[in-house]
Amino acid sequence: MANVNDPVVEKISFNKNGLRLLDERNEQLLLDYPTVYIIYAENKDSYSVYVGETNNIKQRTREHFQEMRYAKRSKMFVVGHEHFNKSLTMDIENKLMLYMTGSKAVKNLSNKRANPQYKYFPVEEMNAIFSKIWRQLHRENNQLFPVEKVIEENALFKASPFHKLTEEQMNAEITILDHIKQALNEEKENQLILVEGSAGSGKTVLLSSLFYLLSGQDEEFKGKSAYMLVNHDQQVKVYNNIAKKLGIQKKFDEKVMKPTKFINNFTDKADIALIDEAHLLWTQGKQSYQGKNQLNDIMDRAKITIAVLDPHQMLRTQQYIEGQTLKKLENRAKKNGHLIKLNNQLRMNAAKDTVKWIKMLVYGNRITNLPKDDKDYELKIFKSPSEMYKAIKEKNRDQSKGLSRMLATFDWEFKEKRDKNHDLYQITVEDFSLPWNLQTKSKDKNLSWAERPETINEVGSTYTIQGFDLNYSGVIIGPSVKYRDGKIVYDPNASANKNAVSNRTLSDGSKVKIYNQLLPNELNVLLTRGVNGLYIYAVDDELRKALLAAQNQEIQN
C-alpha cells in the first residue's frame, strides 16, 4: 500500500453557521481544492446519509441547503487531501458509497451517481488514502463508520452495486446495456440476455450494478421498470435491503422479490427482469408454483430478461435443466449476441492449482496431492470435526479476518416445519454435535445466515450459504460422498437431500435419477465458499484417509 500523508477531515453542522465556521478555519485543502463530503442525519441509532464530491464545497453546500430536506441537527464531514483531483475524489466518493452500503447503521443512502474511476494519477494511492479517511471517520463515529473488515463481511457490501468492476465485468456491463438500449428503442420483446459463469466469477456484483443503473440511476433508463428476482430466501433479503437502502424501492418485495411472486402478481409487462441464480428457478411445478418453467414465465412477463446462470450450481431435481434445453437457451441468446461468459475467479484467493484440486475432487472423482505453497489460501484436511470446529471458531474470533462458519453436505435429517416438541435437528459426528441449517433464533431476521452471530454455533448447508462467501469455511463432507477403489463416488442412499436424489421426469416423459450431477454440484458449492481458506473433514473413513494421505503427500498423482 502506498505511503501517503494524512487527509484533512472536518466535522461541521450542516447549516449556514457550519459553513461559516469552515470558512473561518481557512483550511486551503477544503476550500480551494476538490473535496469529498458526507452529510448525515441520525434518528434512533440509524442514519440517513448523502455522499458527494465537489470542486467548490461552499457553493455545493449552499445548493444542498436548497435542494435537500435534512433534519436540523444534520452534520457534515468534509474531506480533503493534498493529492485530490477530480478523478481521485470521484473514486473515493464511489468507495465511500460502497462501504456505507455495508454499514448496518445506515438506513437510507443517496448519491447522484456511481463514479468508479480506473486509470488516473494517482490511482495507486487511492486505497491508502481511503483507509486513512475511513479510520479518521471511525474515530469520529464508530457506529456509522465501523472498522473496514466488519463492513467487508457484510452481505450488503458484498452485493453492493458500487464495487469497481473488473475489465471483464465492465465489458459485460457495457455490452448488456447496449443490448437493452437497442431492444427498448426498437420496441423488441421477449429478449433473453444470458450471463454464464462459475461460482465466484463476479456474477452477483455485475447484476447488482446493472440493477442500480436500470432502476433510474442512469438517465437513459429513467421511467423504465426493472425488477430483481432470485429464488433464494437468504439472497432475496440482501437485495431487498440494498434496494430499500438506496431508495430503489420504498418497501420490501416492491422491486425485489421471489420469482413465483413476480409471476403470480405481475399483470403488466415489465421492461426488464434481472434474475440472479437462474439455476435455482423451478423447471417444473411445485405446490407454490403451478407453472411448468419459471424462466419461460418470467420472459413472458418482461420485454428483456437478464438471467445469470451456472449449471454447476443446480441443486434440486425441480431446478434441473436438461442438456438440450440449456443448449436451446444458449443458442437463443447467442443468436443475437446476448450470450456472455465470465471466466475469471474473483472469490477465492487461491492459486490455480488449488482451484484445480477442488474441481478434480468434485467432478474428476480423483484425489491428488494437496497443492504446496499457496501463500494466499489455506487448504487443510482435519482428522476430527471437533478440531476443525475449534479452528473455525478461532478464525471467526479475529475480527480483522472476517466471518468463518461450519458447513456440511445435506446428509442429515432436516424439515423446515419442525414440530414444537421436536428437538433441534443436529449434525452429530463422533464427539461433535451442532444444530443444523438455520434453526437458532435471531434478533435480526433480515440478516443472511452467515452474518448472524449465533450461526457460529450452527452448521449451514447449500441452502443457507449458496451465493455468499466466507473468510474460512469448515466443510463436513458427509456419508453421501465416499472413496472406493481409488475414486470418489456419490451415494444417494446416504443423502438426506430428497430434492437431489429423487426421480426427475424429463421432457420425453421418462423418469431418471440425476444425483450424479446434483450431489457433485452440492459439494462444489460448499467447497468454493471460502475466500482465504477451506477446511475439510470427511465422514467416510476411506475418503478421510485418502484426503489425509494427500495432505501428507503420500498419494501418487
Side-chain angles (χ1 to χ4, degrees), residues 265-282:
N265 296 350
F266 212 88
T267 53
D268 298 325
K269 197 142 190 169
D271 291 311
I272 306 155
L274 302 97
I275 310 170
D276 198 5
E277 312 272 7
H279 40 267
L280 301 183
L281 293 175
W282 304 127

Side-chain angles (χ1 to χ4, degrees), residues 283-284 292-293 296 317 320-326 328 503-512 514:
T283 54
Q284 65 179 36
K292 295 181 179 180
N293 185 297
N296 290 339
T317 56
Y320 179 66
I321 303 174
E322 295 177 44
Q324 59 186 18
T325 303
L326 179 60
K328 285 179 182 178
N503 286 334
R504 167 68 196 234
T505 304
L506 300 182
S507 54
D508 62 4
S510 62
K511 296 183 183 294
V512 296
I514 51 175

Side-chain angles (χ1 to χ4, degrees), residues 11 15 20 32 45 64 83 88 132 175 178 184 222 284 293-294 355 364 375 399 407 410 427 437 462 498 521 549 556:
K11 179 181 177 182
N15 53 37
R20 181 180 58 79
D32 299 331
D45 296 327
H64 278 310
H83 289 176
L88 182 51
K132 290 203 169 194
T175 301
D178 286 344
L184 292 175
K222 287 282 187 185
Q284 65 179 36
N293 185 297
Q294 285 188 323
V355 175
K375 296 177 182 178
Q399 209 175 59
L407 308 171
F410 210 100
I427 281 188
N437 210 33
T462 48
K498 293 180 181 179
N521 287 354
Q556 297 299 314

Side-chain angles (χ1 to χ4, degrees), residues 538-556:
V539 172
D540 179 69
D541 289 338
E542 290 187 44
L543 177 56
R544 185 170 63 256
K545 289 175 184 176
L547 288 169
L548 287 167
Q551 180 168 258
N552 296 325
Q553 308 295 296
E554 294 172 9
I555 286 183
Q556 297 299 314

Side-chain angles (χ1 to χ4, degrees), residues 416-450:
E416 288 189 23
K417 292 184 178 180
R418 175 171 50 88
D419 187 289
K420 291 181 180 178
N421 298 321
H422 192 291
D423 291 336
L424 293 179
Y425 293 109
Q426 300 278 129
I427 281 188
T428 301
V429 182
E430 297 181 0
D431 61 344
F432 170 85
S433 187
L434 279 184
W436 168 225
N437 210 33
L438 199 60
Q439 294 183 84
T440 52
K441 292 182 179 180
S442 175
K443 294 179 181 178
D444 191 344
K445 294 182 179 180
N446 289 325
L447 291 178
S448 65
W449 177 82

Side-chain angles (χ1 to χ4, degrees), residues 115-132:
N115 271 328
Q117 302 292 302
Y118 289 86
K119 293 182 180 179
Y120 61 88
F121 177 80
V123 66
E124 67 279 357
E125 294 181 358
M126 194 277 283
N127 287 328
I129 292 173
F130 177 83
S131 288
K132 290 203 169 194

Side-chain angles (χ1 to χ4, degrees), residues 139-371:
R139 287 194 289 270
E140 291 281 351
N141 186 328
N142 58 19
Q143 182 185 33
L144 181 56
F145 306 100
V147 296
E148 288 172 81
K149 196 62 186 179
V150 170
I151 290 277
E152 290 162 4
E153 289 302 322
N154 185 283
L156 272 65
F157 171 90
K158 293 174 181 178
S160 171
F162 299 104
H163 283 281
K164 190 180 289 191
L165 302 182
T166 64
E167 184 177 0
E168 182 181 56
Q169 289 171 317
M170 189 165 52
N171 289 337
E173 182 173 82
I174 291 169
T175 301
I176 292 168
L177 291 174
D178 286 344
H179 288 327
I180 293 170
K181 290 170 189 174
Q182 183 180 356
L184 292 175
N185 289 336
E186 297 177 6
E187 298 184 350
K188 293 180 179 178
E189 296 196 358
N190 297 104
Q191 298 294 297
L192 173 65
I193 299 172
L194 196 61
V195 182
E196 292 186 349
S198 61
S201 59
K203 302 183 298 296
T204 291
V205 166
L206 171 62
L207 202 66
S208 182
S209 177
L210 284 165
F211 182 47
Y212 183 69
L213 293 173
L214 296 170
S215 297
Q217 298 307 315
D218 188 314
E219 289 292 331
E220 294 193 57
F221 300 105
K222 287 282 187 185
K224 303 300 181 184
S225 56
Y227 295 83
M228 175 69 82
L229 312 176
V230 57
N231 201 27
H232 189 295
D233 289 338
Q234 302 300 308
Q235 194 71 358
V236 81
K237 290 178 185 177
V238 171
Y239 280 127
N240 257 309
N241 279 311
I242 289 175
K244 196 165 184 294
K245 181 177 282 195
L246 298 179
I248 294 172
Q249 62 182 18
K250 293 181 180 178
K251 58 183 180 180
F252 277 19
D253 293 342
E254 186 180 1
K255 296 291 184 181
V256 176
M257 62 190 77
K258 298 281 286 289
T260 298
K261 183 168 186 175
F262 177 83
I263 293 165
N264 291 343
N265 296 350
F266 212 88
T267 53
D268 298 325
K269 197 142 190 169
D271 291 311
I272 306 155
L274 302 97
I275 310 170
D276 198 5
E277 312 272 7
H279 40 267
L280 301 183
L281 293 175
W282 304 127
T283 54
Q284 65 179 36
K286 273 180 62 70
Q287 192 170 11
S288 60
Y289 169 64
Q290 300 303 310
K292 295 181 179 180
N293 185 297
Q294 285 188 323
L295 180 56
N296 290 339
D297 288 345
I298 292 167
M299 288 192 291
D300 287 342
R301 290 159 175 78
K303 296 175 184 176
I304 302 162
T305 301
I306 307 166
V308 168
L309 177 71
D310 177 9
H312 283 144
Q313 291 195 63
M314 288 186 294
L315 300 175
R316 305 174 186 241
T317 56
Q318 303 98 319
Q319 298 162 345
Y320 179 66
I321 303 174
E322 295 177 44
Q324 59 186 18
T325 303
L326 179 60
K327 199 69 179 173
K328 285 179 182 178
L329 282 172
E330 290 176 335
N331 288 338
R332 174 178 175 174
K334 192 184 295 182
K335 185 179 179 181
N336 298 311
H338 294 173
L339 178 61
I340 294 168
K341 297 198 175 186
L342 299 178
N343 299 305
N344 294 336
Q345 168 57 245
L346 302 178
R347 174 185 291 129
M348 299 166 64
N349 288 330
K352 289 182 180 179
D353 284 347
T354 302
V355 175
K356 184 179 177 181
W357 184 90
I358 293 171
K359 295 301 179 188
M360 180 62 71
L361 172 72
V362 175
Y363 294 112
N365 305 112
R366 288 181 56 209
I367 298 174
T368 56
N369 289 340
L370 267 65

